[in-house]
Amino acid sequence: MNEIPFAYKQTVDSLKVKVYNDRRALGAAAGAEVAARIKQLLSEKHGIRIIFAAAPSQNELLNYLSEDESIDWSRITAFHMDEYNGLPLDATQKFSRFLSEHLFNQVKPGMVHMIDSSNESEEECRRYGELLRQAPIDIVCLGIGENGHIAFNDPPVADFNDPEVIKVVELEDACRQQQVNDGCFPSFEDVPTHALTLTIPTLLSGSHLFCVVPGPTKRKAVERTLNGSISTECPSTILRKHPDCTLYVDRDSYGT
């Protein structure tokens, strides 16, 4: 694998940080490293389990993975990390649809487990939680929200010691506004108020975390992630404690 040149790198606590000139280079670098890890794990075990984030920030990463024909997706079980409550089944904003269109329909994983937000929430949390508990998670591909959330663990509901695997949360206003900023909804009022999300311990249970965070709207969140105290006031700061997490940023999000 030819490594994409990075502009700068550092380590903050245990978190590895790589800064790229632009989001295209960032996405290609992250994609190459995720693909390499997938192939290495598949050389060691029969199958692996991956959790994916669904957001425009992940587009370049997902595109890279969808085009890598050397990955044996038939041996991969895929999950996603959050889903809105209250959207129609055919809503274009559903995260399950996003991941299907950007990755799953092209690569055809051996198994895909989607969060079904049309199911009764307590029952869906039980069902999806059981699926996640069946075996360890090998890889998590995630991002960071403008308010520092990971998945939909916004500051008011984030819990580093959450006893749940997946839970219902009320979305913070800043999180809802980000969905408008990202072009996913036409107005703040159109964004659902609640969602189902994997909890922080569930995400951190992954053996290898790849966190992709491009763009100027994420600059404050990245700065807090790297320099702030580790606290649920900025949930992404907990990534500094994971034994194998890499944060991929561009100059816009890093601030150089």
Side-chain angles (χ1 to χ4, degrees):
M1 179 184 71
N2 294 322
E3 185 174 30
I4 308 297
F6 47 78
Y8 181 71
K9 68 177 179 178
Q10 69 176 128
T11 301
V12 181
D13 295 327
S14 296
L15 178 64
K16 299 178 287 292
V17 184
K18 294 186 176 182
V19 186
Y20 295 86
N21 285 326
D22 54 52
R23 66 181 293 160
R24 182 176 179 179
L26 179 165
E33 293 187 13
V34 172
R37 179 64 71 182
I38 290 172
K39 286 177 259 191
Q40 178 247 317
L41 290 171
L42 287 175
S43 74
E44 300 171 352
K45 54 205 297 189
H46 176 70
I48 64 173
R49 290 152 59 90
I50 307 178
I51 297 171
F52 291 97
S57 63
Q58 307 299 301
N59 284 348
E60 289 80 8
L61 166 65
L62 297 177
N63 182 65
Y64 186 100
L65 294 177
S66 72
E67 293 181 347
D68 188 337
E69 297 180 355
S70 63
I71 297 173
D72 184 359
W73 286 93
S74 69
R75 296 162 57 199
I76 294 173
T77 298
F79 299 85
H80 65 132
M81 60 182 57
D82 43 19
E83 186 60 273
Y84 295 111
N85 262 355
L87 287 180
L89 289 175
D90 60 349
T92 59
Q93 297 93 343
K94 289 180 74 72
F95 290 148
S96 55
R97 178 168 177 169
F98 179 95
L99 284 172
S100 294
E101 293 178 349
H102 285 78
L103 183 64
F104 299 154
N105 290 348
Q106 291 93 308
V107 301
K108 303 292 193 298
M111 188 164 293
V112 177
H113 295 300
M114 298 294 200
I115 299 171
D116 182 3
S117 59
S118 67
N119 196 5
E120 191 278 322
S121 293
E122 183 175 341
E123 168 59 24
E124 184 58 14
C125 288
R126 183 200 63 76
R127 183 192 73 85
Y128 209 70
E130 287 182 356
L131 291 170
L132 287 160
R133 283 190 293 264
Q134 285 178 0
I137 298 298
D138 296 285
I139 292 174
V140 179
C141 297
L142 71 159
I144 295 174
E146 292 176 16
N147 63 353
H149 72 215
I150 48 178
F152 270 144
N153 295 283
D154 291 333
V157 299
D159 183 349
F160 293 160
N161 299 297
D162 206 310
E164 304 298 332
V165 175
I166 176 174
K167 66 182 182 181
V168 180
V169 293
E170 182 174 2
L171 302 181
E172 188 179 43
D173 284 356
C175 173
R176 293 176 66 201
Q177 183 59 47
Q178 179 186 325
Q179 313 312 310
V180 180
N181 298 346
D182 285 346
C184 301
F185 291 87
S187 71
F188 178 84
E189 290 72 23
D190 293 312
V191 183
T193 59
H194 290 74
L196 296 168
T197 185
L198 305 194
T199 61
I200 290 174
T202 302
L203 299 175
L204 295 184
S205 74
S207 298
H208 310 283
L209 272 56
F210 300 85
C211 188
V212 172
V213 189
T217 62
K218 302 294 180 70
R219 185 176 297 182
K220 182 177 179 181
V222 169
E223 193 279 331
R224 293 179 69 196
T225 299
L226 300 180
N227 301 310
S229 60
I230 296 176
S231 162
T232 54
E233 291 183 6
C234 182
S236 54
T237 53
I238 195 62
L239 298 176
R240 286 160 39 195
K241 294 299 185 183
H242 191 276
D244 188 20
C245 180
T246 302
L247 174 65
Y248 303 85
V249 292
D250 59 9
R251 290 185 181 275
D252 285 337
S253 58
Y254 189 70
T256 59

